[in-house]
Every structure is written in C-alpha cells, then in structure tokens.
C-alpha cells in the first residue's frame, strides 16, 4: 500500500513559484542581451507611454496604499517616500523618457590595446544578467529600476515593500505593456506579488542560481539582513549620514543657501544633509544666520556646546546624533577647529554616501574633495544633488555606499559588467 504524498505547504508553493520566476528571468535575460539597443530603447519609451496612459490607475492605487499606511501610523518621512501625486508621477515618467534617451551601454568598447604578443584585445561592456532588487516605500523605484535594468540589458526581479504593493503592481502593469510593445518578454521585468516576507528569504538564496546581483534599497535593517544572509553578490545602499562643512573662507550667502537646501529641500531623501560642520573661525558670524534660516524653515537643531553658545535655542546633541540619518527636519550642528577636524569627523561618522564643502579657498576645496571618503563629494553645492538623474543618468537604482563593484549613483552603466574580446592571427603561446 502506497502512502499519499504530503500536501504542499504554503512555503513550498512559494519556493516553487519563486524558483520558476528565476528561471523565466534567466531566459528573458538572454533574449534581452541579444536584442539590439533600438529594441531596448523602444521598450523603455513604451513603458513611459503606458505609464502616462495609466496615470489615474496608478494614483488611485497609491491613494489606497497611503490610506493603509496612515491607518497603521506610518512615520511622516516614510509617508513622504510612499506618496505619489501628479507632479511626482510626471517626474517618474520623465525619468523613463530620459533613460530611453541615454546611450545604450551594452557592447561599448571601453579600452583597446595590442601587447607584445600581437593580440588585439578589447574590453567591452556586457549585461550582468539577472538582477533582484529589494526595496521599501518608494514606488518610483519600480519604474526606475526596471528601465535602468533594461537599458543595461538585464532582466530584473522586483520585490517592493508591502506598504506600496498596490502602487507597484499598477506601475508594473505599465512596464509590462511597454516591454510587449517592443516585442520583449514580460518576464524581463517581474514583480513579486505577495506580501509574504518569506519571498525575500527565497530571493536571498539566489533562486537556484538564477540571480547574478542583488540590490537592497531601504533602511539599515533591510540592507544589513541582505548583506548578512544573501548567497549571491550584493550591491549595497546604506544610510546617508551626509555632512556640509562650512569652511572659514566660505561666502556667507552661498553657505546659507547651500546648507538650507541641503537639509530642507526634501528631508526624507538619502541625499539630505544630516550634520552641519562649521569652522570655528566663521562660526561667530555665520552660524547664527544659518541657524535662523533653518529654524524659520521648521528645522530642529541639535548642537554641540560651542554651537549652542552661539545658538542658545538649539538642543544639546548627544553622541548618537552624529551618526543618525534623521530623514526628518532635524540637523546636528558642530563647530570644528579647521579642515583637519572636519575631515576627522567625516571619517568617523560619515556613511560613505555624500559630503560637501562650502569654501572659496581652492586648496581647502581640493583637499576636502581628495580626502573625504564618500561615493559623492561636492564643493559649493547642495548634497541634494546626490541623485542619478542630476548626474545625467536618467535615473538611478540607488546610491551605492559600497566600494565594489559600483560606488555612488547606480545608473545603467553601473549595471553592466565587461568581457575581454581578443582577436588573433593564429598566435599560439610558447
């Protein structure tokens, strides 16, 4: 007498579904890599057209997500990241159009040379293969990630946060329409449709070898979990503990404008400044003016004793403030004794994301740009320019705080690898 096979469990069913998704992505990646750049361009442009046509459905889905998030008491910064309106959706569509317009990186020859053996050697950009992107809150990432992956010739599996599932699914429907309009498989861009968190665990295993690169985009807990548990390569995006350092030589009006914008343009983005470092030689005259600008804009200041002596209304900073990504209208403020002290503070507390100096002293600027250890360093400009769109990438998947394989804004070019193409004339090695 034979025993009946055990009934499949919910987790085994999910595992099978996710593994099948990986297999489909692998097949789609090969087809996409063989498609020409014109086909990829048509697909991305088609995504933009379809998203514009589906704008009302996307905004309705986002409104439902926001209602749920509000009922669950989601924090204001996270609500801001989740929210779409007509202007923001136009920006998402514009990013797709920009990505469609940028040069296709696949097949680009980045170097060519002939060594003594007479071989003609070229280094050529190639797709990575299959990407998996795990992200939280921001539905625009669904569109940006899909378009950049396709531009670079990669298939992609998307797993957004449960709090924005409706928004992501509505956007994904438009992306699928765009792919099909160009004759590409809808498996090129797949999205996990379940809220079950076990899906993330399956992705971290690599889906039976299907995933080549995993990209987390979210808070520290998500990124750390992915880095600790993933069995495939990870491209990390950690916190943006970003500094603006106002040097003694800074122009006062410029310093005020840059600091205010760096903190308050949008407090919930990873490029927002979280700490102001101000030179002791400039603090007496400049800090009260900068502080007034910030407080009038609704920013809370948490300051060290030297800064509080000049801005008594500021609250006292503690050790945690120097390493906190607030994503709120809160700014830590510290008076530093010159460039060395500023660089030491950045080295100790910075997250490797974005650092800015405001100065007119060229030697100080060049030293800061050379020594500040971050993916993005700026002089006399707001940290809020830490955005792939502002770099001319069309969009970005995130700002990598890793050192390998990409650093800073991750656009289409950063989503490629390379191979060496060698042409000989019958050479054999002695």
């Amino acid at each position: 007498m034979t025993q009946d096979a055990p009934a499949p469990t919910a987790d085994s069913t999910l595992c099978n579904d996710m593994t099948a998704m990986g297999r489909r992505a692998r097949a789609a990646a090969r087809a996409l890599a063989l498609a020409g750049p014109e086909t990829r361009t048509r697909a991305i442009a088609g995504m933009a057209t379809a998203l514009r046509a589906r704008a009302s459905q996307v905004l309705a889905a986002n409104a439902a997500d926001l209602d749920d998030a509000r009922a669950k008491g989601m924090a204001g910064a996270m609500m801001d990241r989740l929210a779409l309106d007509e202007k923001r959706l136009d920006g998402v569509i514009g990013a797709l159009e920009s990505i469609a317009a940028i040069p296709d990186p696949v097949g680009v020859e980045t170097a060519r040379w002939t060594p003594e053996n007479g071989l003609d050697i070229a280094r050529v950009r190639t797709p990575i293969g299959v990407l998996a992107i795990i992200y939280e809150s921001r539905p625009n990432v669904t569109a940006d990630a899909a378009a950049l992956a396709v531009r670079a010739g990669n298939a992609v599996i998307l797993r957004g946060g449960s709090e924005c599932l409706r928004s992501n699914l509505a956007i994904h429907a438009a992306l699928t329409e765009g792919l099909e309009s160009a004759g590409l498989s809808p498996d090129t861009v797949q999205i996990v449709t379940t809220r079950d968190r076990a899906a993330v665990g399956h992705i971290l295993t690599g889906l039976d070898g299907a995933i080549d690169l995993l990209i987390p985009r979210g808070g520290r807990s998500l990124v750390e979990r992915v880095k600790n548990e993933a069995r495939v390569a990870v491209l990390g995006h950690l916190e943006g503990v970003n500094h603006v350092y106002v040097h003694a030589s800074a122009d006062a009006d410029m310093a005020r404008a840059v600091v205010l914008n760096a903190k308050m343009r949008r407090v919930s983005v990873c490029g927002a400044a979280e700490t102001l470092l101000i030179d002791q030689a400039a603090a007496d005259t400049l800090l009260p003016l900068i502080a007034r600008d910030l407080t009038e804009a609704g920013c809370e200041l948490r300051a060290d004793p030297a800064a509080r002596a000049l801005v008594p209304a500021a609250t006292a900073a503690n050790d945690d403030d120097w390493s906190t990504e607030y994503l709120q209208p809160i700014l830590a403020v510290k008076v530093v004794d010159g460039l060395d002290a500023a660089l030491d503070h950045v080295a100790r507390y910075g997250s490797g994301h974005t650092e800015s100096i405001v100065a007119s002293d060229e030697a100080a600027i060049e030293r800061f740009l050379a020594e500040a250890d971050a993916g993005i360093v700026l002089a006399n400009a707001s940290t809020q320019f830490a955005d792939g769109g502002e770099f001319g990438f069309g969009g970005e998947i995130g700002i990598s705080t890793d050192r390998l394989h990409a650093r800073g804004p991750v656009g289409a070019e950063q989503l490629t690898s390379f191979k060496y193409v060698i042409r000989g004339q019958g050479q054999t090695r002695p």
Side-chain angles (χ1 to χ4, degrees), residues 361-416:
D361 183 324
E362 288 297 327
I365 288 173
E366 293 307 315
R367 187 174 163 215
F368 185 90
L369 296 178
E371 295 185 27
D373 186 14
I376 304 168
V377 290
L378 308 100
N380 296 326
S382 168
T383 58
Q384 299 254 346
F385 284 105
D387 183 293
E390 295 294 329
F391 280 47
F393 295 173
E396 66 175 29
I397 286 181
I399 308 289
S400 170
T401 52
D402 281 353
R403 299 176 187 276
L404 298 173
H405 98 112
R407 198 177 191 199
V410 178
E413 182 180 305
Q414 290 73 33
L415 294 177
T416 60

Side-chain angles (χ1 to χ4, degrees), residues 121-165:
I121 302 177
R123 187 169 62 238
V124 179
R125 291 198 177 279
T126 61
I128 290 172
V130 176
L131 312 178
I133 302 173
I134 304 172
Y135 54 103
E136 298 172 333
S137 295
R138 287 187 171 182
N140 67 291
V141 175
T142 303
D144 289 349
L148 288 167
V150 170
R151 178 82 285 169
N154 301 300
V156 63
I157 295 170
L158 303 170
R159 206 289 183 178
S162 59
E163 70 280 358
C164 56
L165 182 60

Side-chain angles (χ1 to χ4, degrees), residues 278-409:
I278 187 162
D279 213 310
Q280 191 174 52
D284 287 355
T285 55
L286 259 183
L287 183 55
L289 298 174
I290 293 172
R292 186 182 68 191
D293 294 340
L294 289 164
T295 53
E296 287 180 354
C299 184
E300 175 189 339
L301 303 180
R302 298 183 181 178
D304 75 336
R308 288 190 73 209
L310 298 169
V311 186
T315 58
N318 60 43
D319 288 344
D320 290 341
D321 286 309
W322 309 122
S323 55
T324 298
E325 183 186 37
Y326 299 110
L327 302 176
Q328 298 181 60
I330 302 171
L331 184 68
V333 183
K334 184 175 186 179
V335 175
V336 293
D337 187 13
L339 180 57
D340 285 335
L343 287 167
D344 286 346
H345 185 97
V346 168
R348 180 175 179 183
Y349 296 105
S351 60
H353 192 293
T354 300
E355 306 295 349
S356 178
I357 181 174
V358 183
S360 59
D361 183 324
E362 288 297 327
I365 288 173
E366 293 307 315
R367 187 174 163 215
F368 185 90
L369 296 178
E371 295 185 27
D373 186 14
I376 304 168
V377 290
L378 308 100
N380 296 326
S382 168
T383 58
Q384 299 254 346
F385 284 105
D387 183 293
E390 295 294 329
F391 280 47
F393 295 173
E396 66 175 29
I397 286 181
I399 308 289
S400 170
T401 52
D402 281 353
R403 299 176 187 276
L404 298 173
H405 98 112
R407 198 177 191 199

